[in-house]
């Protein structure tokens, strides 16, 4: 049985953002942050032509986030994830987009707690890694505390011990997913109430966290925090995680060092067919707040897409930043 991982700090799964190149880059900034894949559907894993479970060994601890609602398919994919070495698998019960609603997964599953619990139970039968659930606090007009706790209780009874709670309800009608990032307001007290009412379960809070100080404040009441867009736009924030949240020595010394460590990775993957921009785009925010950061971003953004671009462009952009 794989040992449960420490969820004190994790980086949110984000479609089109947290791919394997992004995760490798983030791992150079923190050795302790828990990394999540983008949401991958069961259909893609089972029927897709690509390898949707590929990752770099350096990424551990690593969680596969699954989108789906068929217990047999979810269990099959969880077993595949365990066999491939993933540390954990997470069920997406939070994404509000039309595409996931049509596929019967994401936030609409909050209205089917028994189905989510069935997925948890089947997944745990087939895979010897932890199964967790990431959910919103409600959907549309179904946003009572009892509505949320029904999902928590049924999934816990099926064997889920850790929940990531995005502290904003999902609007499945009338708001775009982008608008739903800001509307309605976040409700942190509701997540704190879950921890008080279910102290035997583990809860991480997701939504609106923008600093290490904000994370530390939440960790006085909860088991973990999950940060998404802030880490992506300001990745150097991660360099504080190991020291400030785990009490260990900081892993990354300077952002310049991180860039130099990325060069052999970029060279290797370009030799395997990757394009420079597929990797470098995740590094745009690395020097946020540092003199020369704008020139760094501009150099990469304007020329990174060109087919001839490679690691030398990274060095050229680096020369624009003041050490």
């Amino acid at each position: 049985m794989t040992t449960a991982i420490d969820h004190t700090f994790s980086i949110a799964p984000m479609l089109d953002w947290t791919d394997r190149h992004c995760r490798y880059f983030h791992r150079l900034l923190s050795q302790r942050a828990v990394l999540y894949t983008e949401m991958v559907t069961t259909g893609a894993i089972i029927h897709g032509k690509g390898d949707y479970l590929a990752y770099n060994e350096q990424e551990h601890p690593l969680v596969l986030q699954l989108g789906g609602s068929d217990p047999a398919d979810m269990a099959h994919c969880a077993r595949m994830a365990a066999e491939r070495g993933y540390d954990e698998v997470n069920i997406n019960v939070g994404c509000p987009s039309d595409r996931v609603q049509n596929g019967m997964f994401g936030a609409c599953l909050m209205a089917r707690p028994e189905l989510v619990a069935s997925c948890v139970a089947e997944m745990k039968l087939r895979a010897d890694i932890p199964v967790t659930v990431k959910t919103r606090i409600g959907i549309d007009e179904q946003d009572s505390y009892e509505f949320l706790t029904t999902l928590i209780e049924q999934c816990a009874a099926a064997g889920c011990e850790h929940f990531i709670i995005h502290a904003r309800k999902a609007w499945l009608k009338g708001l775009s997913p982008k608008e739903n990032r800001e509307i309605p307001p976040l409700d942190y007290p509701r997540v704190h109430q879950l921890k008080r009412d279910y102290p035997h379960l583990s809860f991480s809070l997701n939504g609106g966290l923008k600093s290490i100080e904000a994370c530390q404040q939440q960790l006085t009441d909860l088991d973990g925090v999950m940060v998404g867009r802030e880490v992506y736009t300001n990745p150097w924030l991660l360099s504080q995680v190991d020291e400030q949240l785990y009490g260990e020595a900081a892993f990354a010394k300077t952002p310049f060092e991180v860039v130099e460590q990325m060069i052999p990775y970029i060279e290797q993957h370009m030799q395997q067919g990757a394009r420079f921009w597929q990797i470098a785009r995740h590094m745009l925010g690395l020097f946020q707040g540092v003199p020369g950061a704008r020139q760094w971003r501009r150099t990469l953004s304007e020329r990174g897409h060109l087919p001839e671009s490679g690691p030398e462009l990274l060095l050229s952009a680096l020369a624009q930043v003041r050490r």
Side-chain angles (χ1 to χ4, degrees):
M1 179 73 179
T2 303
T3 304
I5 53 184
D6 184 339
H7 289 93
T8 298
F9 184 95
S10 53
I11 301 173
M14 293 176 282
L15 277 172
D16 301 322
W17 290 7
T18 52
D19 61 22
R20 61 183 301 192
H21 303 311
C22 177
R23 298 191 304 264
Y24 181 88
F25 168 55
H26 285 166
R27 183 55 74 216
L28 294 179
L29 294 158
S30 166
Q31 289 292 282
R32 295 302 304 269
V34 180
L35 305 182
Y36 281 68
T37 68
E38 304 170 89
M39 181 188 68
V40 187
T41 66
T42 55
I45 293 173
I46 297 171
H47 305 295
K49 294 181 180 178
D51 182 1
Y52 290 90
L53 296 180
Y55 64 91
N56 309 286
E57 280 300 321
Q58 296 89 338
E59 293 175 39
H60 295 289
L62 177 63
V63 182
L64 171 69
Q65 191 186 59
L66 272 180
S69 57
D70 180 88
D73 286 350
M74 294 289 277
H76 178 67
C77 291
R79 184 176 180 85
M80 289 177 67
E83 290 171 348
R84 291 289 292 272
Y86 278 85
D87 299 294
E88 193 171 279
V89 62
N90 175 260
I91 305 175
N92 184 318
V93 191
C95 183
S97 79
D98 292 338
R99 187 165 68 86
V100 300
Q101 290 181 60
N102 294 336
M104 192 52 197
F105 51 92
C108 61
L109 285 176
M110 285 197 77
R112 300 284 304 278
E114 74 293 336
L115 180 57
V116 182
S118 293
C119 289
V120 171
E122 289 297 316
M123 291 162 77
K124 288 189 69 67
L125 277 175
R126 296 287 302 278
D128 63 348
I129 54 176
V131 176
T132 65
V133 169
K134 184 175 189 290
T135 185
R136 297 291 189 115
I137 57 172
I139 49 172
D140 297 334
E141 303 306 328
Q142 297 173 289
D143 61 354
S144 69
Y145 184 65
E146 291 70 29
F147 178 73
L148 176 58
T149 57
T150 297
L151 175 70
I152 300 298
E153 289 175 3
Q154 293 200 24
C155 289
C160 179
E161 298 177 357
H162 180 70
F163 296 85
I164 302 104
I165 312 293
H166 185 155
R168 194 191 309 275
K169 77 171 176 177
W171 279 105
L172 304 183
K173 301 169 185 174
L175 284 181
S176 71
K178 183 177 180 180
E179 291 170 325
N180 199 188
R181 290 178 194 152
E182 306 294 337
I183 305 169
L186 290 158
D187 188 351
Y188 290 169
R190 181 163 294 195
V191 185
H192 297 169
Q193 187 66 46
L194 284 175
K195 183 59 186 177
R196 287 194 295 270
D197 291 345
Y198 304 94
H200 59 292
L201 298 175
S202 174
F203 293 95
S204 288
L205 180 138
N206 174 224
L209 299 171
K210 297 182 182 298
S211 68
I212 293 296
E213 292 72 28
C215 292
Q216 289 171 323
Q217 184 177 357
Q218 292 301 322
L219 287 168
T220 61
D221 297 302
L222 298 166
D223 305 285
V225 290
M226 175 180 275
V227 183
R229 283 173 291 149
E230 188 64 27
V231 160
Y232 192 86
T233 56
N234 179 22
W236 189 244
L237 178 74
L238 283 176
S239 69
Q240 304 173 55
V241 166
D242 295 6
E243 186 174 22
Q244 298 297 320
L245 301 185
Y246 288 90
E248 299 179 0
F251 183 69
K253 300 298 185 284
T254 70
F256 299 95
E257 191 177 81
V258 172
V259 173
E260 289 160 4
Q261 290 175 315
M262 282 297 295
I263 289 174
Y265 177 85
I266 292 172
E267 290 173 340
Q268 175 193 347
H269 282 269
M270 288 186 70
Q271 288 169 4
Q272 296 170 0
R275 298 191 308 277
F276 173 76
W277 183 244
Q278 290 176 307
I279 305 171
R281 68 188 180 101
H282 301 300
M283 304 171 64
L284 287 177
L286 181 58
F287 291 98
Q288 185 168 306
V290 176
R294 183 178 298 175
Q295 290 88 336
W296 158 267
R297 291 193 302 271
R298 182 184 299 154
T299 300
L300 291 180
S301 298
E302 291 178 354
R303 296 165 54 194
H305 299 274
L306 302 176
E308 66 269 20
S309 291
E312 67 286 343
L313 182 61
L314 214 56
L315 294 174
S316 176
L318 194 62
Q320 309 293 316
V321 187
R322 188 180 304 167
R323 288 181 184 261

